[in-house]
Amino acid sequence: MAGAKSALVLCMDVGFSMSNSGPGEEPPFELAKKVIQKFVQRQVFAETKDELALVLFGTDSTKNSLDKDDQYQNITVHRHLMVPDFELLEEIENQIHPESQQADWLDALVVCMDLLQTETKEKKCDRLNIVLLTDLNTEANSEQLDVIIENLKQAGITLQFFLPFPAGDDEEGGGDADGRDPGQPGTGKGLSKEQKSGLDMVKHIMLSLDEEDGLGEIYSFRKAIEQLCMFKRIERRPMAWPCQLTIGSCLPIRIVGYKAVTEEKLKKTWTTVDAQTNQKDDVKRETVYCLDDDNETEVQKDDTIQGFRYGSDIVPFSKVDQDQMKYKHDGKCFAVLGFSKQSMVQRHQFMGTQVIKIFSAKDDEHAGVALSALIRALDELNMVAIVRYAYDRRSNPQVGAAFPCIKRDYECLMYVQLPFMEDLRQFTFPSLANNKKFTPSDTQLSAVDSLIDSMMLVEGDDQKDIFKIHHIPNPAFQRHFQCLHHRAVSPGTPLPPMEPWLKAALERPDVISERCQAPLEEIKRKFPLTEVEKKKKLKTSAQIFGKDSEEPDAKKAKGDEEEEEYSLADIAEGSVTSVGSVDPARDFRTLIRKKSLPFGEVCQQLTRRIEQLLSNKNTHYYMKSITCIQAFREQSVKLGDANLYNGYLQSLKRSIPNRGLEVFWDLLVQDAITLISKDEVEGSTVSKNEANQVTPLFKPV
Amino acid sequence: MAEWNAYYKNEDDEEDQEEGELSGGDYKITGRDSLVFLVDASKEMFIKGEDGEPSNFDMTMQVVRSVYTSKIISSHRDLVALVFYGTEQSKNPRNSFKHVYVYHDLDEPGAKRVQDADALRGSKGAQLAAKTMGSSETSLGDALWCCANLYSDIKLRLSQKRLMIFTCRDEPHGGDSVKDRQARTKANDLKETGVTIDLMHLMKPGGFNVASFFRDIVSPPEDESELGLQLEPCAKLEDLQKRVRAKEQKKRAMARLNLCLGEGINVAVGIYATAVSARKQAPVRLYRETNEPVRSKTRTFHTQTGSLLLPSEIKKAQVYSKKQIVMEKDEVDAIKKFDDPGLVLIGFKPMEKLKRHHHIRPAVFLYPEEDEVKGSACLFSALLTKCSERNVFALCRCIARRNYPPRFVALVPQKEEVDEGKAQITPPGFNVIHLPFADDIRTLDPPQCPVASQIQVDKMKEIVSKLRFKYRSDAFENPVIQQHYRNLEALALDMMAPEDMEDLIMPKVDQIDGRLGPLVDEFKDLVYPFNYNPDSKPAAKRKTAGTGGGAEKKPKVEIPEDELRAHMQNGTLGKLTVPVLKEACKQFGVRTTGTKKQELIDALTERLGS
């Protein structure tokens, strides 16, 4: 860890020529400033330990340690070597302006070298780098060039140049070599004499430092901005997982695994702060436990134990017991269970969230040969190894497939997790082919055919992929950092819109959009699509009225009957003015909750409905009546008013024989609906014993 | 338990943890599923097959038991009932039906029920059934009526009502047309109240004729084809189990979205999770005194004033290089929003452009929703046909839910496949494969390794061929989950010890060794030098070429037993070096998995100390 940091000097030309630009072009100064901003931004959010200094040249004033007798004039060390922060970003934003002098860029380079050498003495830096941004428009004194190159070499300092124009068309492998840069402003031809000789010098330096790739470190401003626009993708150091691949008990092969593909997450998460003070410490979250009774009696966490549901049972099962009894295994493992045809393992059965690449152990060529034999054997037979994989003793073992993977410059096994029996859901779906209504006609099929033709994302004979997803940075991260950066440097302003390049990166490529216009129109004509008016939808969205309807929301996962009942009541609330016949129990509850009518009145409405229902001698109506009586009882207990209910039930009971409602009464008894006792509601005149006895004892013969 | 949101869980802040615990089901529809097993208990059901094949009744009970246990694991809130018809004895809520025996009322399955179902298995089960219920005349009408009552007695909202008839008699009433008619009427009544009736017809000598009677009883299949009726009767337990599974799990869309091909061309589709990592359920907190479940409430309050904070009184923050960046909660959500939920077609690519290693999440399944947009199924079907014919996949941008950032997905066509019995093996539709972004791919530095010679490869091929088997995705149970539920079962039923479990993902080492025989040594001779020890740490740097491999003197690391024991007694094992300890482990036949010093010491102490 220690010492693995680099030191870098940004050296920017702010002289007057930097402000010159052709009509409609952005001056080089602005472009160079953008490059610096983007670069620093990236460093800040990456929170690297790398240190950074900023040197400006062409400044009106002079401030550097080499400043002596007219030497090294108009060069300012704006910031010494330190970790970049938002302050620096603000300074770049507000304090760096075009100035009116010119300075020798080689002098500036020397200042930077001196700065690096003096300021890194006490620090351990393993990389020293100078980045020069200039238009090369000042004549540079080339006398010292060789000395400078020699010094750079000795100190191990690397250089990068950023220029307003590409380093030249003739040079293959240059920073812009692959760019056809149409309309690149300030391209080669319009260079001044100074710029031409400057460019030659730059090339000379770069090639002397690195014969092969030297010119690769010369960039144009535009290209650099394009590349820096993306926040650096999240990189993680691959962690080696050494293990042994085993086949049976006596054939081990030493291997090492690396995560090759996995969904990357942002490293930082949001913390909750107080809106006024912005202090995290001012906010505390606390979880309390309470019993499921009316008072929601709180209990201490220590007074709770752990349990698990086993169907309708809840089994107390302490953590200690659980650990004792849980499945245990021998830890780290990559053991072959057998081999199977690759076609038996289908792509859509892959489970888990990662792909692991398995190589042979480092510095063990015998293991290398053994693994290679396995990889090639599998490849030639089109087979795959089914393995048991366990990361370590604490993690759960998996079953997975190890595919052979032979690339031009390496070979490995690729491990993916496969499903357990418990993970699978065997859904059947109605056949599409057997249903005449859904069978597309030949003309419909050919319309789809031409749509596919027009929308192929590959081109050329070699089928070059023109829309590679794995080259697109995760847009969520890009947007996240864009907003964070904006909020950090311009607090108090609304968040910016999404950057255009990001939006464009997620869209259909222009070629495709153009090509598919006509086939799409054809599809539209050939396939009538009509949105189905949802009568039912009204109801469902109404059910969750008040919460956000429509969206499948994670929060709604709870599937609580209770909650649903309330939301049902919610919608009813608006319209319920009396106890209706459709769902009298619900209406009754709603009215009581709303308190718009006196309790006695609502009860009377309910009992009227019950009587009405009971005049139909049918089980269904009996059930409904019972629900009403249950609601009556429940609300009476809640409101502590037992008299109306008890009175009604007793009178109902008396009327049973005359009305021939014995069957109904039996149901009521089965459902254990009793009078409300003194224990439940104080005002009741019925003792608990009586209450329990009243209904069953009653024999209406 | 389609935990779509589980994938995203970590992207949010701590608040989501609470939700995670509660994620019992992730659907917008609430209400319970219900399933009634209506099982024929006539004499015919108890006839054992040839060669000791289990009787139809036995098979049915095994299935019932397995549904009970799987419900307990995956959806314990579903209601299940077990009803027998054609019994001698009667037992039903109001005892108004003769020859109908409600064994289990509609309720959540629990440990007791599993035991009950267990008791009805095998020949003992048959005896028990004969004793408690017996066999007698049949009135399917009464049985269906009784089931209807079971449903109407449930006061909970039911989202799915399913009834499965298990029988091997195609004419249960022996031609009694009155009873036939009554059964049909009752079946219609049931269907009208939203109950789906399935027939699980079992093997019968002479073949099971569905058309004669049951055609009018069962619900018509979803796709209006005759598919459901052409099914052959189930003869094997596996088939029955599969068939019941397929019906018993209600498929629910995780999301319903539009697949947008272009301006104004929206195909309504549902996304289904066909494979979701089953996990141990989250524990429930219980009050120590009474073992009753407690509810948890999480509150956010101000540390100084102690007052509860409203959502408007808190903000979200992140700190970068010592600077705190603050946003409103709404803004944090807004950042994640790119567009409304939906799938947008970008284009098509040949199948070989879909790289096997571009895997970040289990796939989901796409099927049209004709109920949302009429015409969807036709266009979907055309796309499916053409994509699979031309061997291309559709590339789409996908936003699965509100305020979820986009991902790109490959829609891979999958054609329908059916088995000999006309039962569906794979459904028609697109598999949705999530593709990685640049950030999700890690740069590795692959080591340079020698390549094996063809002789070595050929030897390995022999080994591979010896260990061939047919992979089936449902062949492996998760030992962790199985053990967990066995433990719970044992506790719930007061068993002495949990039922034994076979770890199916443990390599059968002895069998493998036996099959390979001398091949292993032959291969090792080809690739490993004499005395090669894969357990040693990075074997001495690159052995000098030419010499006979690792035969060079390895430092003697053995240690006499008495010395070792002395160290152990004095507690000075730690003084020895790791290689010495390892060698000692080998010497005493201690199997160690660890390489850490302490692990070795522990292993040794355990062995020698006992």
Side-chain angles (χ1 to χ4, degrees):
Chain A
M1 288 290 278
K5 67 175 175 183
S6 62
L8 179 139
V9 187
L10 291 171
C11 181
M12 180 177 164
D13 189 349
V14 296
F16 72 82
S17 69
M18 287 289 278
S19 318
N20 297 340
S21 65
E25 278 175 13
E26 239 178 312
F29 172 83
E30 291 301 331
L31 291 174
K33 186 165 156 177
K34 256 189 207 162
V35 172
I36 291 190
Q37 270 176 327
K38 294 275 183 196
F39 180 79
V40 175
Q41 211 177 85
R42 186 190 266 215
Q43 295 294 102
V44 169
F45 280 110
E47 296 203 305
T48 59
K49 295 207 177 73
D50 298 344
E51 298 194 8
L52 200 138
L54 178 60
V55 174
L56 305 174
F57 63 102
T59 47
D60 298 342
S61 58
T62 300
K63 198 180 117 203
N64 66 66
S65 51
L66 301 179
D67 165 24
K68 214 166 87 188
D69 327 318
D70 267 9
Q71 290 247 308
Y72 300 102
Q73 291 305 292
N74 303 103
I75 298 172
T76 304
V77 176
H78 185 89
R79 187 182 168 110
H80 290 273
L81 208 55
M82 55 202 276
V83 175
D85 49 22
F86 284 99
E87 222 166 89
L88 177 61
L89 273 176
E90 275 159 37
E91 282 171 23
I92 296 172
E93 176 74 36
N94 303 318
Q95 293 175 20
I96 299 185
H97 307 290
E99 305 201 23
S100 50
Q101 296 299 316
Q102 287 287 67
D104 183 338
W105 58 270
L106 273 177
D107 281 355
L109 183 59
V110 175
V111 170
C112 293
M113 287 162 65
D114 173 67
L115 183 149
L116 270 184
Q117 279 181 326
T118 48
E119 294 188 16
T120 55
K121 249 182 218 149
E122 307 293 310
K123 299 168 185 165
K124 262 194 198 160
C125 291
D126 64 349
R127 256 194 90 207
L128 306 176
N129 192 20
I130 297 173
V131 176
L132 244 120
L133 302 102
T134 173
D135 60 357
L136 298 175
N137 239 330
T138 40
E139 199 168 335
N141 185 348
S142 60
E143 274 170 38
Q144 302 289 313
L145 200 57
D146 290 333
V147 183
I148 293 176
I149 291 174
E150 204 40 51
N151 275 329
L152 283 170
K153 272 188 184 165
Q154 260 175 18
I157 296 173
T158 51
L159 272 187
Q160 282 175 303
F161 279 93
F162 290 80
L163 309 175
F165 42 82
D169 306 324
D170 49 340
E171 305 289 345
E172 276 274 300
D176 296 317
D178 56 332
R180 285 148 277 172
D181 290 323
Q184 173 89 288
T187 327
K189 285 124 210 159
L191 295 189
S192 66
K193 191 180 100 237
E194 292 82 11
Q195 284 176 318
K196 273 183 192 147
S197 72
L199 188 57
D200 286 340
M201 259 190 272
V202 169
K203 284 183 184 169
H204 175 67
I205 302 175
M206 295 312 278
L207 287 173
S208 325
L209 289 178
D210 182 347
E211 276 175 45
E212 278 169 29
D213 294 326
L215 297 179
E217 296 298 325
I218 309 175
Y219 304 88
S220 76
F221 288 162
R222 276 194 188 275
K223 198 79 191 174
I225 292 175
E226 255 170 52
Q227 282 177 5
L228 286 167
C229 252
M230 286 177 201
F231 278 92
K232 204 172 176 179
R233 65 200 194 97
I234 297 185
E235 293 228 30
R236 285 185 206 245
R237 196 178 286 233
M239 274 275 284
W241 179 75
C243 189
Q244 283 190 3
L245 182 155
T246 55
I247 304 174
S249 64
C250 358
L251 181 46
I253 302 175
R254 293 177 59 221
I255 52 164
V256 53
Y258 293 97
K259 251 185 212 182
V261 180
T262 189
E263 200 170 325
E264 216 51 77
K265 299 272 166 18
L266 288 166
K267 285 181 194 156
K268 291 202 173 171
T269 54
W270 293 98
T271 51
T272 307
V273 297
D274 180 69
Q276 242 118 63
T277 58
N278 285 349
Q279 288 300 309
K280 185 175 142 196
D281 298 341
D282 282 348
V283 178
K284 208 176 158 206
R285 275 169 72 87
E286 182 194 62
T287 302
V288 292
Y289 298 93
C290 55
L291 298 178
D292 206 5
D293 57 12
D294 285 344
N295 300 326
E296 302 203 318
T297 320
E298 263 184 46
V299 293
Q300 292 305 306
K301 190 173 183 206
D302 293 345
D303 288 334
T304 63
I305 49 169
Q306 184 185 259
F308 285 94
R309 278 188 190 283
Y310 186 78
S312 52
D313 310 321
I314 296 179
V315 184
F317 194 11
S318 73
K319 247 204 156 84
V320 184
D321 287 344
Q322 198 194 344
D323 284 342
Q324 192 93 70
M325 291 172 76
K326 77 172 181 202
Y327 175 82
K328 288 180 203 86
H329 59 98
D330 291 341
K332 200 182 253 202
C333 156
F334 199 84
V336 172
L337 302 180
F339 300 96
S340 190
K341 276 255 161 253
Q342 279 185 20
S343 57
M344 303 296 289
V345 182
Q346 281 164 318
R347 177 67 156 87
H348 66 264
Q349 289 174 334
F350 289 6
M351 295 294 288
T353 55
Q354 60 179 11
V355 173
I356 300 170
K357 284 193 176 169
I358 307 282
F359 301 96
S360 60
K362 252 202 169 107
D363 301 325
D364 185 340
E365 54 184 287
H366 309 298
V369 173
L371 189 68
S372 167
L374 176 61
I375 293 167
R376 286 176 179 261
L378 289 176
D379 187 61
E380 286 174 26
L381 293 168
N382 257 324
M383 302 274 279
V384 60
I386 305 295
V387 297
R388 170 198 177 94
Y389 162 81
Y391 180 78
D392 67 10
R393 202 184 306 220
R394 284 158 304 165
S395 49
N396 294 336
Q398 311 174 347
V399 62
F403 288 90
C405 164
I406 300 180
K407 289 275 166 77
R408 205 175 31 177
D409 43 358
Y410 68 92
E411 46 186 45
C412 66
L413 287 174
M414 249 168 33
Y415 170 83
V416 213
Q417 191 185 349
L418 292 174
F420 283 116
M421 188 269 281
E422 293 89 340
D423 305 340
L424 297 170
R425 284 129 205 261
Q426 250 118 29
F427 293 151
T428 43
F429 287 84
S431 169
L432 289 170
N434 287 356
N435 194 324
K436 288 197 190 67
K437 270 201 297 188
F438 304 151
T439 314
S441 67
D442 286 348
T443 52
Q444 283 178 321
L445 282 175
S446 72
V448 172
D449 233 346
S450 41
L451 180 74
I452 295 179
D453 281 333
S454 71
M455 292 184 82
M456 284 310 284
L457 291 164
V458 289
E459 61 185 21
D461 294 336
D462 54 347
Q463 300 271 293
K464 204 176 143 240
D465 198 333
I466 57 166
F467 200 81
K468 283 188 177 159
I469 306 303
H470 60 283
H471 287 179
I472 302 177
N474 188 340
F477 300 167
Q478 299 297 321
R479 175 79 177 134
H480 178 83
F481 286 120
Q482 184 208 357
C483 292
L484 279 182
H485 174 239
H486 176 90
R487 183 50 49 89
V489 284
S490 344
T493 58
L495 296 178
M498 206 170 305
E499 292 192 71
W501 73 265
L502 183 59
K503 253 193 153 138
L506 303 176
E507 291 298 335
R508 227 174 247 179
D510 289 341
V511 243
I512 303 288
S513 322
E514 268 169 45
R515 255 192 343 227
C516 69
Q517 276 316 318
L520 274 177
E521 286 303 316
E522 189 62 17
I523 294 273
K524 213 170 185 175
R525 270 194 298 278
K526 290 275 161 61
F527 291 93
L529 292 164
T530 38
E531 204 157 324
V532 178
E533 286 284 340
K534 282 261 157 153
K535 276 173 236 122
K536 265 170 99 189
K537 202 135 200 183
L538 242 170
K539 199 178 138 209
T540 38
S541 53
Q543 275 173 0
I544 31 179
F545 182 71
K547 306 167 196 177
D548 31 18
S549 46
E550 303 276 310
E551 284 317 323
D553 196 324
K555 292 229 174 186
K556 240 162 269 144
K558 298 163 194 175
D560 235 4
E561 265 90 29
E562 201 184 1
E563 203 175 86
E564 178 157 72
E565 217 151 71
Y566 276 123
S567 39
L568 268 170
D570 280 343
I571 35 141
E573 234 169 30
S575 53
V576 173
T577 51
S578 65
V579 178
S581 60
V582 178
D583 193 344
R586 186 191 68 190
D587 292 354
F588 173 70
R589 286 198 183 95
T590 312
L591 285 171
I592 299 242
R593 259 187 338 121
K594 275 172 64 184
K595 298 196 181 88
S596 53
L597 291 170
F599 182 61
E601 162 81 12
V602 187
C603 292
Q604 209 174 13
Q605 285 188 9
L606 182 75
T607 52
R608 230 178 289 142
R609 285 290 171 212
I610 296 174
E611 293 303 322
Q612 209 177 7
L613 288 166
L614 287 178
S615 57
N616 303 295
K617 290 210 174 72
N618 174 304
T619 326
H620 181 72
Y621 288 102
Y622 290 166
M623 296 311 298
K624 210 163 175 179
S625 309
I626 287 177
T627 338
C628 290
I629 295 171
Q630 279 169 333
F632 195 174
R633 189 179 198 283
E634 156 206 314
Q635 295 298 320
S636 301
V637 172
K638 222 175 203 171
L639 295 175
D641 188 346
N643 293 337
L644 288 170
Y645 169 84
N646 282 350
Y648 174 70
L649 199 67
Q650 274 157 338
S651 82
L652 179 65
K653 188 170 73 177
R654 280 191 294 274
S655 72
I656 294 294
N658 298 333
R659 298 160 74 184
L661 284 171
E662 288 83 350
V663 181
F664 163 71
W665 195 257
D666 276 345
L667 290 176
L668 194 79
V669 172
Q670 271 177 29
D671 278 324
I673 296 174
T674 61
L675 292 173
I676 299 173
S677 71
K678 255 185 235 156
D679 298 22
E680 291 170 270
V681 170
E682 242 176 6
S684 170
T685 52
V686 185
S687 78
K688 192 165 183 184
N689 240 342
E690 282 175 78
N692 285 340
Q693 282 170 5
V694 155
T695 35
L697 274 182
F698 187 87
K699 284 264 195 253
V701 182
Chain B
M1 276 200 301
E3 278 148 318
W4 181 273
N5 61 333
Y7 301 133
Y8 296 93
K9 211 174 287 165
N10 298 337
E11 278 180 19
D12 282 287
D13 43 2
E14 69 278 301
E15 266 164 41
D16 283 8
Q17 283 165 10
E18 307 290 319
E19 278 166 38
E21 287 182 16
L22 290 162
S23 75
D26 194 16
Y27 305 104
K28 109 170 126 176
I29 329 152
T30 48
R32 314 276 192 98
D33 281 358
S34 61
L35 172 63
V36 174
F37 293 111
L38 182 54
V39 182
D40 188 350
S42 64
K43 294 232 159 52
E44 287 88 333
M45 287 287 286
F46 292 94
I47 298 169
K48 275 201 186 140
E50 294 152 37
D51 320 324
E53 294 267 316
S55 69
N56 282 326
F57 186 85
D58 192 3
M59 239 162 65
T60 307
M61 285 310 114
Q62 296 210 32
V63 171
V64 169
R65 187 206 194 258
S66 84
V67 170
Y68 275 178
T69 45
S70 83
K71 287 270 181 206
I72 284 173
I73 295 179
S74 62
S75 33
H76 66 267
R77 292 163 67 89
D78 290 0
L79 307 178
V80 191
L82 176 59
V83 181
F84 295 99
Y85 70 96
T87 54
E88 172 76 52
Q89 305 298 320
S90 311
K91 179 174 171 253
N92 44 72
R94 309 190 233 314
N95 276 331
S96 40
F97 304 106
K98 291 231 167 78
H99 310 300
V100 181
Y101 199 102
V102 177
Y103 208 78
H104 288 148
D105 207 352
L106 256 186
D107 203 350
E108 296 171 357
K112 178 78 173 50
R113 290 194 163 198
V114 176
Q115 257 182 345
D116 291 348
D118 247 350
L120 289 172
R121 283 162 53 181
S123 51
K124 270 196 189 151
Q127 283 167 17
L128 177 69
K131 210 176 90 197
T132 51
M133 304 181 296
S135 302
S136 180
E137 45 180 302
T138 302
S139 165
L140 194 59
D142 280 347
L144 291 171
W145 194 347
C146 175
C147 294
N149 286 348
L150 292 182
Y151 279 117
S152 59
D153 286 352
I154 295 298
K155 307 212 173 60
L156 300 162
R157 216 174 91 105
L158 297 176
S159 55
Q160 190 203 23
K161 301 184 204 169
R162 203 171 261 284
L163 184 133
M164 289 183 186
I165 304 175
F166 292 79
T167 183
C168 59
R169 294 185 298 160
D170 48 7
E171 286 183 358
H173 306 121
D176 181 338
S177 60
V178 180
K179 280 186 168 178
D180 278 359
R181 190 158 7 96
Q182 194 205 358
R184 280 191 204 113
T185 322
K186 284 297 150 200
N188 281 335
D189 290 352
L190 267 174
K191 284 183 264 184
E192 257 165 45
T193 56
V195 178
T196 313
I197 304 179
D198 292 315
L199 176 64
M200 297 293 154
H201 47 316
L202 305 160
M203 232 16 185
K204 157 186 183 260
F208 195 107
N209 184 358
V210 178
S212 64
F213 169 70
F214 277 101
R215 198 227 310 261
D216 301 327
I217 299 290
V218 299
S219 301
E222 287 170 277
D223 54 357
E224 292 164 8
S225 69
E226 294 279 290
L227 192 80
L229 297 181
Q230 283 163 356
L231 282 174
E232 298 294 317
C234 284
K236 274 187 280 171
L237 177 65
E238 271 169 46
D239 292 348
L240 184 66
Q241 212 140 19
K242 231 186 239 170
R243 225 175 266 188
V244 170
R245 269 281 153 76
K247 295 273 183 190
E248 164 258 311
Q249 292 175 329
K250 165 126 175 126
K251 46 176 199 280
R252 278 171 166 158
M254 292 191 300
R256 292 198 169 78
L257 300 171
N258 277 339
L259 165 62
C260 175
L261 306 188
E263 189 67 35
I265 311 175
N266 291 315
V267 178
V269 291
I271 295 184
Y272 298 83
T274 45
V276 178
S277 283
R279 276 181 244 169
K280 270 191 284 190
Q281 19 128 277
V284 193
R285 292 226 77 84
L286 307 174
Y287 184 45
R288 191 188 290 281
E289 306 287 317
T290 56
N291 278 352
E292 64 181 307
V294 296
R295 286 194 297 143
S296 72
K297 286 192 293 191
T298 305
R299 310 186 278 224
T300 310
F301 60 89
H302 198 276
T303 323
Q304 259 120 58
T305 66
S307 62
L308 290 180
L309 289 168
L310 298 170
S312 61
E313 291 167 319
I314 51 176
K315 285 187 179 174
K316 296 283 165 179
Q318 290 197 354
V319 177
Y320 274 97
S321 73
K322 288 179 220 127
K323 188 175 177 97
Q324 189 188 39
I325 305 169
V326 183
M327 287 194 198
E328 304 281 347
K329 180 100 176 56
D330 292 350
E331 288 176 318
V332 172
D333 290 335
I335 290 176
K336 287 191 218 139
K337 173 161 180 155
F338 281 67
D339 210 341
D340 290 328
L343 284 156
V344 178
L345 178 67
I346 302 291
F348 299 88
K349 283 187 193 180
M351 276 310 289
E352 60 271 17
K353 296 282 172 197
L354 181 63
K355 299 283 182 272
R356 190 185 275 144
H357 62 277
H358 283 175
H359 165 78
I360 47 168
R361 263 186 223 174
V364 290
F365 186 75
L366 212 61
Y367 190 81
E369 295 279 327
E370 189 71 5
D371 296 346
E372 307 266 330
V373 173
K374 210 164 158 275
S376 292
C378 182
L379 181 46
F380 186 92
S381 169
L383 270 174
L384 186 63
T385 310
K386 278 296 162 190
C387 282
S388 95
E389 202 176 287
R390 304 183 49 165
N391 205 24
V392 295
F393 67 87
L395 183 77
C396 292
R397 189 177 69 226
C398 173
I399 295 178
R401 280 158 184 264
R402 215 160 39 115
N403 290 347
Y404 274 5
R407 274 265 159 203
F408 284 95
V409 294
L411 306 189
V412 179
Q414 174 174 292
K415 283 177 134 177
E416 184 183 16
E417 278 175 58
V418 291
D419 65 12
E420 325 86 64
K422 295 269 171 69
Q424 195 174 57
I425 310 171
T426 53
F430 285 101
N431 285 307
V432 181
I433 313 268
H434 296 86
L435 301 173
F437 283 118
D439 304 76
D440 305 327
I441 294 180
R442 302 191 179 189
T443 3
L444 302 181
D445 188 16
Q448 287 302 318
C449 281
V451 170
S453 71
Q454 195 56 44
I455 304 171
Q456 293 163 328
V457 173
D458 286 343
K459 190 50 82 183
M460 185 46 104
K461 274 175 155 174
E462 285 180 50
I463 293 180
V464 168
S465 307
K466 281 272 187 234
L467 300 178
R468 268 177 88 132
F469 77 110
K470 238 184 177 172
Y471 171 76
R472 278 199 359 256
S473 56
D474 56 356
F476 300 100
E477 289 184 339
N478 186 339
V480 177
I481 293 194
Q482 290 298 332
Q483 186 66 56
H484 177 72
Y485 280 98
R486 264 158 234 233
N487 292 344
L488 286 184
E489 188 184 44
L491 290 169
L493 300 175
D494 283 327
M495 286 153 60
M496 291 297 284
E499 213 184 311
D500 275 335
M501 177 203 63
E502 191 192 352
D503 184 351
L504 294 173
I505 59 165
M506 207 50 165
K508 299 190 175 60
V509 174
D510 294 338
Q511 268 184 42
I512 292 177
D513 289 350
R515 278 207 181 186
L516 294 181
L519 278 175
V520 172
D521 285 327
E522 287 166 27
F523 177 76
K524 275 163 80 174
D525 287 344
L526 282 173
V527 295
Y528 290 153
F530 176 66
N531 254 1
Y532 171 77
N533 178 11
D535 292 319
S536 67
K537 276 270 168 186
K541 271 179 226 126
R542 196 143 309 193
K543 287 170 193 116
T544 35
T547 37
E552 293 136 294
K553 294 152 254 158
K554 257 198 203 151
K556 266 270 179 208
V557 287
E558 265 173 49
I559 173 169
E561 187 177 347
D562 46 351
E563 203 174 310
L564 193 73
R565 287 194 185 277
H567 271 301
M568 201 178 69
Q569 261 145 32
N570 303 334
T572 51
L573 274 177
K575 282 187 178 172
L576 301 176
T577 63
V578 172
V580 175
L581 288 168
K582 273 211 172 143
E583 195 56 42
C585 280
K586 249 187 240 157
Q587 204 175 322
F588 294 100
V590 181
R591 265 187 64 212
T592 53
T593 46
T595 46
K596 295 232 175 66
K597 195 166 194 173
Q598 195 52 51
E599 287 170 347
L600 294 171
I601 293 176
D602 290 348
L604 270 176
T605 333
E606 198 181 325
R607 178 53 164 264
L608 297 178
S610 58

